[in-house]
Amino acid sequence: MGFKEVKAEELQFNPFTKIGKEWMLVTAGDEEKHNTMTASWGALGIMWGKNVVSVYLRPQRYTKEFVDNGEKFTVSFYSEEQRKALNICGSRSGRDCDKEKEAGLTPYYTDGTTAFEEAEMIFVCRKLYSQPMGPDYFTADWIDEKWYPEKDYHVMYMAEIEKVLVKE
């Protein structure tokens, strides 16, 4: 089984379910070295006339180093059978272990970046914009209090979805 390319405009899914409940993996790096992490915060839409995805990474996440150092990354989605793998990728650091191996994931290299063969759908993304988030821009006090007690504010990355691959 492989992947086939489809147009982003042809996709039919609920992004609130896909991202917030089913989760996704954000993966960056190449065949030589890469890392992945589970994410449940993100957005899809149109910006600057492009199909885009936004992902939010805390500064201490190892994957952030790979996203920062490359021009591309992938966002990939999985079936419920991969929930254990997503839990592993969200609870362990690639600095300390081989979480791909622990999760049973097989690297899939595409367009100079990395995803996994077990994915149901992969977005190959090119960074367009990044910006640190911070308390000066929150318009509701509860956000800082609830989500940032350690003051480890996310960095927002907006990326063009250059290619969509779905499992054949």
PDB file of all heavy atoms in Angstrom, residues 42-57 67-68 70-73 75 125-132 155-161:
ATOM      1  N   GLY A  42      -4.254  22.979  16.352  1.00  0.00           N
ATOM      2  CA  GLY A  42      -3.899  23.342  14.999  1.00  0.00           C
ATOM      3  C   GLY A  42      -5.084  23.949  14.293  1.00  0.00           C
ATOM      4  O   GLY A  42      -6.186  24.022  14.847  1.00  0.00           O
ATOM      5  N   ALA A  43      -4.866  24.393  13.074  1.00  0.00           N
ATOM      6  CA  ALA A  43      -5.929  25.014  12.295  1.00  0.00           C
ATOM      7  C   ALA A  43      -5.663  24.806  10.812  1.00  0.00           C
ATOM      8  O   ALA A  43      -4.513  24.661  10.385  1.00  0.00           O
ATOM      9  CB  ALA A  43      -6.007  26.505  12.605  1.00  0.00           C
ATOM     10  N   LEU A  44      -6.738  24.799  10.049  1.00  0.00           N
ATOM     11  CA  LEU A  44      -6.667  24.711   8.595  1.00  0.00           C
ATOM     12  C   LEU A  44      -7.449  25.875   8.008  1.00  0.00           C
ATOM     13  O   LEU A  44      -8.471  26.276   8.573  1.00  0.00           O
ATOM     14  CB  LEU A  44      -7.302  23.404   8.104  1.00  0.00           C
ATOM     15  CG  LEU A  44      -6.632  22.114   8.550  1.00  0.00           C
ATOM     16  CD1 LEU A  44      -7.515  20.922   8.237  1.00  0.00           C
ATOM     17  CD2 LEU A  44      -5.286  21.971   7.878  1.00  0.00           C
ATOM     18  N   GLY A  45      -6.982  26.416   6.887  1.00  0.00           N
ATOM     19  CA  GLY A  45      -7.719  27.501   6.266  1.00  0.00           C
ATOM     20  C   GLY A  45      -7.008  28.057   5.057  1.00  0.00           C
ATOM     21  O   GLY A  45      -6.167  27.397   4.449  1.00  0.00           O
ATOM     22  N   ILE A  46      -7.350  29.291   4.741  1.00  0.00           N
ATOM     23  CA  ILE A  46      -6.772  29.991   3.601  1.00  0.00           C
ATOM     24  C   ILE A  46      -6.087  31.249   4.123  1.00  0.00           C
ATOM     25  O   ILE A  46      -6.656  32.002   4.908  1.00  0.00           O
ATOM     26  CB  ILE A  46      -7.870  30.411   2.591  1.00  0.00           C
ATOM     27  CG1 ILE A  46      -8.737  29.215   2.176  1.00  0.00           C
ATOM     28  CG2 ILE A  46      -7.249  31.114   1.384  1.00  0.00           C
ATOM     29  CD1 ILE A  46      -7.995  28.138   1.422  1.00  0.00           C
ATOM     30  N   MET A  47      -4.860  31.477   3.679  1.00  0.00           N
ATOM     31  CA  MET A  47      -4.124  32.681   4.046  1.00  0.00           C
ATOM     32  C   MET A  47      -3.235  33.036   2.873  1.00  0.00           C
ATOM     33  O   MET A  47      -2.593  32.156   2.294  1.00  0.00           O
ATOM     34  CB  MET A  47      -3.291  32.414   5.309  1.00  0.00           C
ATOM     35  CG  MET A  47      -2.642  33.622   5.883  1.00  0.00           C
ATOM     36  SD  MET A  47      -3.901  34.669   6.627  1.00  0.00           S
ATOM     37  CE  MET A  47      -2.894  35.997   7.209  1.00  0.00           C
ATOM     38  N   TRP A  48      -3.204  34.310   2.517  1.00  0.00           N
ATOM     39  CA  TRP A  48      -2.379  34.780   1.415  1.00  0.00           C
ATOM     40  C   TRP A  48      -2.665  34.002   0.125  1.00  0.00           C
ATOM     41  O   TRP A  48      -1.771  33.738  -0.682  1.00  0.00           O
ATOM     42  CB  TRP A  48      -0.892  34.736   1.774  1.00  0.00           C
ATOM     43  CG  TRP A  48      -0.569  35.521   3.005  1.00  0.00           C
ATOM     44  CD1 TRP A  48      -0.860  36.836   3.239  1.00  0.00           C
ATOM     45  CD2 TRP A  48       0.087  35.048   4.183  1.00  0.00           C
ATOM     46  NE1 TRP A  48      -0.426  37.202   4.493  1.00  0.00           N
ATOM     47  CE2 TRP A  48       0.164  36.120   5.098  1.00  0.00           C
ATOM     48  CE3 TRP A  48       0.611  33.820   4.558  1.00  0.00           C
ATOM     49  CZ2 TRP A  48       0.745  36.004   6.345  1.00  0.00           C
ATOM     50  CZ3 TRP A  48       1.189  33.704   5.809  1.00  0.00           C
ATOM     51  CH2 TRP A  48       1.251  34.795   6.691  1.00  0.00           C
ATOM     52  N   GLY A  49      -3.925  33.588  -0.033  1.00  0.00           N
ATOM     53  CA  GLY A  49      -4.328  32.859  -1.229  1.00  0.00           C
ATOM     54  C   GLY A  49      -3.847  31.421  -1.275  1.00  0.00           C
ATOM     55  O   GLY A  49      -3.919  30.781  -2.322  1.00  0.00           O
ATOM     56  N   LYS A  50      -3.371  30.895  -0.157  1.00  0.00           N
ATOM     57  CA  LYS A  50      -2.828  29.531  -0.099  1.00  0.00           C
ATOM     58  C   LYS A  50      -3.638  28.685   0.878  1.00  0.00           C
ATOM     59  O   LYS A  50      -4.179  29.187   1.871  1.00  0.00           O
ATOM     60  CB  LYS A  50      -1.366  29.544   0.400  1.00  0.00           C
ATOM     61  CG  LYS A  50      -0.425  30.399  -0.419  1.00  0.00           C
ATOM     62  CD  LYS A  50      -0.121  29.751  -1.735  1.00  0.00           C
ATOM     63  CE  LYS A  50       0.948  30.541  -2.487  1.00  0.00           C
ATOM     64  NZ  LYS A  50       1.189  29.997  -3.793  1.00  0.00           N
ATOM     65  N   ASN A  51      -3.701  27.373   0.625  1.00  0.00           N
ATOM     66  CA  ASN A  51      -4.222  26.431   1.613  1.00  0.00           C
ATOM     67  C   ASN A  51      -3.160  26.288   2.688  1.00  0.00           C
ATOM     68  O   ASN A  51      -2.004  25.979   2.377  1.00  0.00           O
ATOM     69  CB  ASN A  51      -4.487  25.063   0.985  1.00  0.00           C
ATOM     70  CG  ASN A  51      -5.544  25.115  -0.098  1.00  0.00           C
ATOM     71  OD1 ASN A  51      -6.502  25.869  -0.002  1.00  0.00           O
ATOM     72  ND2 ASN A  51      -5.383  24.319  -1.128  1.00  0.00           N
ATOM     73  N   VAL A  52      -3.531  26.533   3.942  1.00  0.00           N
ATOM     74  CA  VAL A  52      -2.536  26.523   5.015  1.00  0.00           C
ATOM     75  C   VAL A  52      -2.978  25.671   6.194  1.00  0.00           C
ATOM     76  O   VAL A  52      -4.161  25.412   6.408  1.00  0.00           O
ATOM     77  CB  VAL A  52      -2.226  27.954   5.527  1.00  0.00           C
ATOM     78  CG1 VAL A  52      -1.619  28.813   4.425  1.00  0.00           C
ATOM     79  CG2 VAL A  52      -3.450  28.618   6.124  1.00  0.00           C
ATOM     80  N   VAL A  53      -1.976  25.269   6.949  1.00  0.00           N
ATOM     81  CA  VAL A  53      -2.155  24.643   8.247  1.00  0.00           C
ATOM     82  C   VAL A  53      -1.351  25.466   9.244  1.00  0.00           C
ATOM     83  O   VAL A  53      -0.288  25.994   8.898  1.00  0.00           O
ATOM     84  CB  VAL A  53      -1.699  23.163   8.251  1.00  0.00           C
ATOM     85  CG1 VAL A  53      -0.220  23.016   7.942  1.00  0.00           C
ATOM     86  CG2 VAL A  53      -2.048  22.466   9.558  1.00  0.00           C
ATOM     87  N   SER A  54      -1.875  25.596  10.447  1.00  0.00           N
ATOM     88  CA  SER A  54      -1.131  26.223  11.537  1.00  0.00           C
ATOM     89  C   SER A  54      -0.902  25.180  12.609  1.00  0.00           C
ATOM     90  O   SER A  54      -1.823  24.431  12.959  1.00  0.00           O
ATOM     91  CB  SER A  54      -1.912  27.391  12.142  1.00  0.00           C
ATOM     92  OG  SER A  54      -2.062  28.423  11.208  1.00  0.00           O
ATOM     93  N   VAL A  55       0.322  25.122  13.100  1.00  0.00           N
ATOM     94  CA  VAL A  55       0.652  24.240  14.220  1.00  0.00           C
ATOM     95  C   VAL A  55       1.315  25.083  15.300  1.00  0.00           C
ATOM     96  O   VAL A  55       1.876  26.147  15.017  1.00  0.00           O
ATOM     97  CB  VAL A  55       1.551  23.054  13.800  1.00  0.00           C
ATOM     98  CG1 VAL A  55       0.841  22.154  12.794  1.00  0.00           C
ATOM     99  CG2 VAL A  55       2.877  23.517  13.245  1.00  0.00           C
ATOM    100  N   TYR A  56       1.249  24.605  16.519  1.00  0.00           N
ATOM    101  CA  TYR A  56       1.702  25.361  17.682  1.00  0.00           C
ATOM    102  C   TYR A  56       2.640  24.473  18.493  1.00  0.00           C
ATOM    103  O   TYR A  56       2.230  23.414  18.968  1.00  0.00           O
ATOM    104  CB  TYR A  56       0.490  25.801  18.512  1.00  0.00           C
ATOM    105  CG  TYR A  56      -0.473  26.588  17.651  1.00  0.00           C
ATOM    106  CD1 TYR A  56      -1.421  25.949  16.867  1.00  0.00           C
ATOM    107  CD2 TYR A  56      -0.379  27.977  17.571  1.00  0.00           C
ATOM    108  CE1 TYR A  56      -2.275  26.668  16.040  1.00  0.00           C
ATOM    109  CE2 TYR A  56      -1.228  28.704  16.750  1.00  0.00           C
ATOM    110  CZ  TYR A  56      -2.165  28.040  15.986  1.00  0.00           C
ATOM    111  OH  TYR A  56      -2.997  28.759  15.158  1.00  0.00           O
ATOM    112  N   LEU A  57       3.888  24.907  18.654  1.00  0.00           N
ATOM    113  CA  LEU A  57       4.908  24.089  19.311  1.00  0.00           C
ATOM    114  C   LEU A  57       5.496  24.842  20.488  1.00  0.00           C
ATOM    115  O   LEU A  57       5.888  26.008  20.363  1.00  0.00           O
ATOM    116  CB  LEU A  57       6.020  23.732  18.326  1.00  0.00           C
ATOM    117  CG  LEU A  57       5.592  23.103  16.993  1.00  0.00           C
ATOM    118  CD1 LEU A  57       6.807  22.824  16.133  1.00  0.00           C
ATOM    119  CD2 LEU A  57       4.773  21.848  17.213  1.00  0.00           C
ATOM    120  N   VAL A  67      11.649  21.670  12.955  1.00  0.00           N
ATOM    121  CA  VAL A  67      10.785  22.589  12.207  1.00  0.00           C
ATOM    122  C   VAL A  67      11.533  23.901  11.962  1.00  0.00           C
ATOM    123  O   VAL A  67      11.517  24.435  10.852  1.00  0.00           O
ATOM    124  CB  VAL A  67       9.450  22.822  12.948  1.00  0.00           C
ATOM    125  CG1 VAL A  67       8.642  23.942  12.288  1.00  0.00           C
ATOM    126  CG2 VAL A  67       8.628  21.538  12.996  1.00  0.00           C
ATOM    127  N   ASP A  68      12.207  24.408  12.979  1.00  0.00           N
ATOM    128  CA  ASP A  68      12.943  25.664  12.834  1.00  0.00           C
ATOM    129  C   ASP A  68      14.077  25.559  11.808  1.00  0.00           C
ATOM    130  O   ASP A  68      14.351  26.521  11.093  1.00  0.00           O
ATOM    131  CB  ASP A  68      13.539  26.100  14.178  1.00  0.00           C
ATOM    132  CG  ASP A  68      12.501  26.637  15.138  1.00  0.00           C
ATOM    133  OD1 ASP A  68      11.387  27.002  14.691  1.00  0.00           O
ATOM    134  OD2 ASP A  68      12.794  26.690  16.348  1.00  0.00           O
ATOM    135  N   GLY A  70      14.380  23.541   9.142  1.00  0.00           N
ATOM    136  CA  GLY A  70      14.042  23.136   7.777  1.00  0.00           C
ATOM    137  C   GLY A  70      13.005  24.067   7.181  1.00  0.00           C
ATOM    138  O   GLY A  70      12.413  24.887   7.869  1.00  0.00           O
ATOM    139  N   GLU A  71      12.792  23.914   5.892  1.00  0.00           N
ATOM    140  CA  GLU A  71      11.757  24.742   5.270  1.00  0.00           C
ATOM    141  C   GLU A  71      10.444  23.985   5.149  1.00  0.00           C
ATOM    142  O   GLU A  71       9.401  24.588   4.913  1.00  0.00           O
ATOM    143  CB  GLU A  71      12.217  25.290   3.921  1.00  0.00           C
ATOM    144  CG  GLU A  71      12.264  24.310   2.779  1.00  0.00           C
ATOM    145  CD  GLU A  71      12.710  24.967   1.480  1.00  0.00           C
ATOM    146  OE1 GLU A  71      13.847  25.450   1.428  1.00  0.00           O
ATOM    147  OE2 GLU A  71      11.920  24.992   0.526  1.00  0.00           O
ATOM    148  N   LYS A  72      10.479  22.654   5.337  1.00  0.00           N
ATOM    149  CA  LYS A  72       9.267  21.848   5.223  1.00  0.00           C
ATOM    150  C   LYS A  72       9.080  20.974   6.456  1.00  0.00           C
ATOM    151  O   LYS A  72      10.035  20.660   7.166  1.00  0.00           O
ATOM    152  CB  LYS A  72       9.331  20.949   3.988  1.00  0.00           C
ATOM    153  CG  LYS A  72       9.281  21.703   2.688  1.00  0.00           C
ATOM    154  CD  LYS A  72       9.217  20.734   1.525  1.00  0.00           C
ATOM    155  CE  LYS A  72       9.177  21.483   0.205  1.00  0.00           C
ATOM    156  NZ  LYS A  72       9.001  20.567  -0.928  1.00  0.00           N
ATOM    157  N   PHE A  73       7.847  20.575   6.671  1.00  0.00           N
ATOM    158  CA  PHE A  73       7.492  19.578   7.666  1.00  0.00           C
ATOM    159  C   PHE A  73       6.216  18.899   7.205  1.00  0.00           C
ATOM    160  O   PHE A  73       5.601  19.329   6.219  1.00  0.00           O
ATOM    161  CB  PHE A  73       7.350  20.182   9.071  1.00  0.00           C
ATOM    162  CG  PHE A  73       6.259  21.217   9.218  1.00  0.00           C
ATOM    163  CD1 PHE A  73       4.972  20.847   9.579  1.00  0.00           C
ATOM    164  CD2 PHE A  73       6.529  22.559   9.031  1.00  0.00           C
ATOM    165  CE1 PHE A  73       3.973  21.794   9.742  1.00  0.00           C
ATOM    166  CE2 PHE A  73       5.544  23.521   9.187  1.00  0.00           C
ATOM    167  CZ  PHE A  73       4.255  23.133   9.546  1.00  0.00           C
ATOM    168  N   VAL A  75       2.361  17.184   8.420  1.00  0.00           N
ATOM    169  CA  VAL A  75       1.301  16.970   9.393  1.00  0.00           C
ATOM    170  C   VAL A  75       0.578  15.732   8.894  1.00  0.00           C
ATOM    171  O   VAL A  75       0.178  15.674   7.722  1.00  0.00           O
ATOM    172  CB  VAL A  75       0.349  18.185   9.450  1.00  0.00           C
ATOM    173  CG1 VAL A  75      -0.852  17.894  10.325  1.00  0.00           C
ATOM    174  CG2 VAL A  75       1.091  19.413   9.952  1.00  0.00           C
ATOM    175  N   CYS A 125       4.097  20.285   4.020  1.00  0.00           N
ATOM    176  CA  CYS A 125       3.922  21.712   4.294  1.00  0.00           C
ATOM    177  C   CYS A 125       5.236  22.483   4.154  1.00  0.00           C
ATOM    178  O   CYS A 125       6.286  21.995   4.548  1.00  0.00           O
ATOM    179  CB  CYS A 125       3.417  21.894   5.727  1.00  0.00           C
ATOM    180  SG  CYS A 125       1.924  20.936   6.099  1.00  0.00           S
ATOM    181  N   ARG A 126       5.112  23.712   3.627  1.00  0.00           N
ATOM    182  CA  ARG A 126       6.258  24.618   3.525  1.00  0.00           C
ATOM    183  C   ARG A 126       5.991  25.809   4.441  1.00  0.00           C
ATOM    184  O   ARG A 126       4.979  26.491   4.306  1.00  0.00           O
ATOM    185  CB  ARG A 126       6.455  25.107   2.100  1.00  0.00           C
ATOM    186  CG  ARG A 126       7.637  26.082   1.953  1.00  0.00           C
ATOM    187  CD  ARG A 126       7.801  26.597   0.531  1.00  0.00           C
ATOM    188  NE  ARG A 126       7.997  25.525  -0.418  1.00  0.00           N
ATOM    189  CZ  ARG A 126       9.185  24.966  -0.703  1.00  0.00           C
ATOM    190  NH1 ARG A 126      10.265  25.394  -0.101  1.00  0.00           N
ATOM    191  NH2 ARG A 126       9.267  24.003  -1.587  1.00  0.00           N
ATOM    192  N   LYS A 127       6.922  26.060   5.346  1.00  0.00           N
ATOM    193  CA  LYS A 127       6.750  27.166   6.291  1.00  0.00           C
ATOM    194  C   LYS A 127       6.611  28.496   5.559  1.00  0.00           C
ATOM    195  O   LYS A 127       7.375  28.786   4.644  1.00  0.00           O
ATOM    196  CB  LYS A 127       7.939  27.264   7.253  1.00  0.00           C
ATOM    197  CG  LYS A 127       8.025  26.173   8.265  1.00  0.00           C
ATOM    198  CD  LYS A 127       9.139  26.403   9.276  1.00  0.00           C
ATOM    199  CE  LYS A 127      10.462  26.707   8.645  1.00  0.00           C
ATOM    200  NZ  LYS A 127      11.582  26.770   9.575  1.00  0.00           N
ATOM    201  N   LEU A 128       5.649  29.287   6.027  1.00  0.00           N
ATOM    202  CA  LEU A 128       5.450  30.636   5.506  1.00  0.00           C
ATOM    203  C   LEU A 128       5.674  31.691   6.580  1.00  0.00           C
ATOM    204  O   LEU A 128       6.053  32.819   6.273  1.00  0.00           O
ATOM    205  CB  LEU A 128       4.017  30.808   4.972  1.00  0.00           C
ATOM    206  CG  LEU A 128       3.587  29.944   3.807  1.00  0.00           C
ATOM    207  CD1 LEU A 128       2.099  30.162   3.518  1.00  0.00           C
ATOM    208  CD2 LEU A 128       4.430  30.246   2.578  1.00  0.00           C
ATOM    209  N   TYR A 129       5.425  31.331   7.843  1.00  0.00           N
ATOM    210  CA  TYR A 129       5.395  32.339   8.901  1.00  0.00           C
ATOM    211  C   TYR A 129       5.553  31.639  10.243  1.00  0.00           C
ATOM    212  O   TYR A 129       5.046  30.539  10.450  1.00  0.00           O
ATOM    213  CB  TYR A 129       4.030  33.037   8.842  1.00  0.00           C
ATOM    214  CG  TYR A 129       3.813  34.115   9.870  1.00  0.00           C
ATOM    215  CD1 TYR A 129       4.284  35.404   9.663  1.00  0.00           C
ATOM    216  CD2 TYR A 129       3.093  33.862  11.033  1.00  0.00           C
ATOM    217  CE1 TYR A 129       4.062  36.408  10.593  1.00  0.00           C
ATOM    218  CE2 TYR A 129       2.862  34.861  11.962  1.00  0.00           C
ATOM    219  CZ  TYR A 129       3.341  36.131  11.744  1.00  0.00           C
ATOM    220  OH  TYR A 129       3.124  37.119  12.657  1.00  0.00           O
ATOM    221  N   SER A 130       6.246  32.284  11.145  1.00  0.00           N
ATOM    222  CA  SER A 130       6.281  31.790  12.528  1.00  0.00           C
ATOM    223  C   SER A 130       6.315  32.999  13.452  1.00  0.00           C
ATOM    224  O   SER A 130       6.876  34.048  13.099  1.00  0.00           O
ATOM    225  CB  SER A 130       7.491  30.880  12.781  1.00  0.00           C
ATOM    226  OG  SER A 130       8.690  31.603  12.733  1.00  0.00           O
ATOM    227  N   GLN A 131       5.704  32.821  14.609  1.00  0.00           N
ATOM    228  CA  GLN A 131       5.674  33.913  15.577  1.00  0.00           C
ATOM    229  C   GLN A 131       5.479  33.351  16.975  1.00  0.00           C
ATOM    230  O   GLN A 131       4.582  32.551  17.207  1.00  0.00           O
ATOM    231  CB  GLN A 131       4.535  34.881  15.267  1.00  0.00           C
ATOM    232  CG  GLN A 131       4.456  36.024  16.253  1.00  0.00           C
ATOM    233  CD  GLN A 131       3.401  37.042  15.869  1.00  0.00           C
ATOM    234  OE1 GLN A 131       2.900  37.066  14.767  1.00  0.00           O
ATOM    235  NE2 GLN A 131       3.071  37.891  16.811  1.00  0.00           N
ATOM    236  N   PRO A 132       6.310  33.789  17.909  1.00  0.00           N
ATOM    237  CA  PRO A 132       6.091  33.381  19.303  1.00  0.00           C
ATOM    238  C   PRO A 132       4.785  33.981  19.824  1.00  0.00           C
ATOM    239  O   PRO A 132       4.436  35.116  19.501  1.00  0.00           O
ATOM    240  CB  PRO A 132       7.287  33.987  20.045  1.00  0.00           C
ATOM    241  CG  PRO A 132       8.294  34.292  18.990  1.00  0.00           C
ATOM    242  CD  PRO A 132       7.523  34.579  17.739  1.00  0.00           C
ATOM    243  N   VAL A 155       5.092  28.620  19.916  1.00  0.00           N
ATOM    244  CA  VAL A 155       5.393  29.355  18.697  1.00  0.00           C
ATOM    245  C   VAL A 155       4.392  28.858  17.660  1.00  0.00           C
ATOM    246  O   VAL A 155       4.181  27.648  17.516  1.00  0.00           O
ATOM    247  CB  VAL A 155       6.842  29.112  18.212  1.00  0.00           C
ATOM    248  CG1 VAL A 155       7.074  29.749  16.846  1.00  0.00           C
ATOM    249  CG2 VAL A 155       7.827  29.650  19.234  1.00  0.00           C
ATOM    250  N   MET A 156       3.744  29.801  16.968  1.00  0.00           N
ATOM    251  CA  MET A 156       2.799  29.450  15.913  1.00  0.00           C
ATOM    252  C   MET A 156       3.552  29.389  14.585  1.00  0.00           C
ATOM    253  O   MET A 156       4.322  30.293  14.265  1.00  0.00           O
ATOM    254  CB  MET A 156       1.701  30.498  15.800  1.00  0.00           C
ATOM    255  CG  MET A 156       0.721  30.171  14.677  1.00  0.00           C
ATOM    256  SD  MET A 156      -0.389  31.521  14.282  1.00  0.00           S
ATOM    257  CE  MET A 156       0.704  32.597  13.386  1.00  0.00           C
ATOM    258  N   TYR A 157       3.313  28.317  13.851  1.00  0.00           N
ATOM    259  CA  TYR A 157       3.863  28.156  12.511  1.00  0.00           C
ATOM    260  C   TYR A 157       2.696  28.060  11.537  1.00  0.00           C
ATOM    261  O   TYR A 157       1.795  27.246  11.732  1.00  0.00           O
ATOM    262  CB  TYR A 157       4.696  26.879  12.398  1.00  0.00           C
ATOM    263  CG  TYR A 157       5.904  26.883  13.296  1.00  0.00           C
ATOM    264  CD1 TYR A 157       5.811  26.442  14.612  1.00  0.00           C
ATOM    265  CD2 TYR A 157       7.127  27.331  12.823  1.00  0.00           C
ATOM    266  CE1 TYR A 157       6.912  26.459  15.440  1.00  0.00           C
ATOM    267  CE2 TYR A 157       8.236  27.344  13.652  1.00  0.00           C
ATOM    268  CZ  TYR A 157       8.119  26.901  14.962  1.00  0.00           C
ATOM    269  OH  TYR A 157       9.219  26.929  15.780  1.00  0.00           O
ATOM    270  N   MET A 158       2.721  28.885  10.519  1.00  0.00           N
ATOM    271  CA  MET A 158       1.745  28.783   9.445  1.00  0.00           C
ATOM    272  C   MET A 158       2.494  28.283   8.224  1.00  0.00           C
ATOM    273  O   MET A 158       3.569  28.812   7.886  1.00  0.00           O
ATOM    274  CB  MET A 158       1.096  30.137   9.160  1.00  0.00           C
ATOM    275  CG  MET A 158      -0.069  30.042   8.198  1.00  0.00           C
ATOM    276  SD  MET A 158      -0.943  31.593   8.047  1.00  0.00           S
ATOM    277  CE  MET A 158      -1.473  31.848   9.715  1.00  0.00           C
ATOM    278  N   ALA A 159       1.929  27.262   7.582  1.00  0.00           N
ATOM    279  CA  ALA A 159       2.619  26.644   6.460  1.00  0.00           C
ATOM    280  C   ALA A 159       1.651  26.363   5.325  1.00  0.00           C
ATOM    281  O   ALA A 159       0.496  25.989   5.554  1.00  0.00           O
ATOM    282  CB  ALA A 159       3.282  25.341   6.903  1.00  0.00           C
ATOM    283  N   GLU A 160       2.150  26.547   4.117  1.00  0.00           N
ATOM    284  CA  GLU A 160       1.360  26.191   2.936  1.00  0.00           C
ATOM    285  C   GLU A 160       1.297  24.680   2.815  1.00  0.00           C
ATOM    286  O   GLU A 160       2.319  23.987   2.955  1.00  0.00           O
ATOM    287  CB  GLU A 160       2.003  26.772   1.679  1.00  0.00           C
ATOM    288  CG  GLU A 160       1.271  26.397   0.412  1.00  0.00           C
ATOM    289  CD  GLU A 160       1.944  26.913  -0.847  1.00  0.00           C
ATOM    290  OE1 GLU A 160       3.005  27.558  -0.759  1.00  0.00           O
ATOM    291  OE2 GLU A 160       1.387  26.662  -1.935  1.00  0.00           O
ATOM    292  N   ILE A 161       0.124  24.161   2.562  1.00  0.00           N
ATOM    293  CA  ILE A 161      -0.037  22.732   2.274  1.00  0.00           C
ATOM    294  C   ILE A 161       0.297  22.548   0.800  1.00  0.00           C
ATOM    295  O   ILE A 161      -0.498  22.888  -0.076  1.00  0.00           O
ATOM    296  CB  ILE A 161      -1.466  22.250   2.598  1.00  0.00           C
ATOM    297  CG1 ILE A 161      -1.789  22.501   4.061  1.00  0.00           C
ATOM    298  CG2 ILE A 161      -1.608  20.772   2.225  1.00  0.00           C
ATOM    299  CD1 ILE A 161      -3.265  22.311   4.417  1.00  0.00           C
TER     300      ILE A 161
END
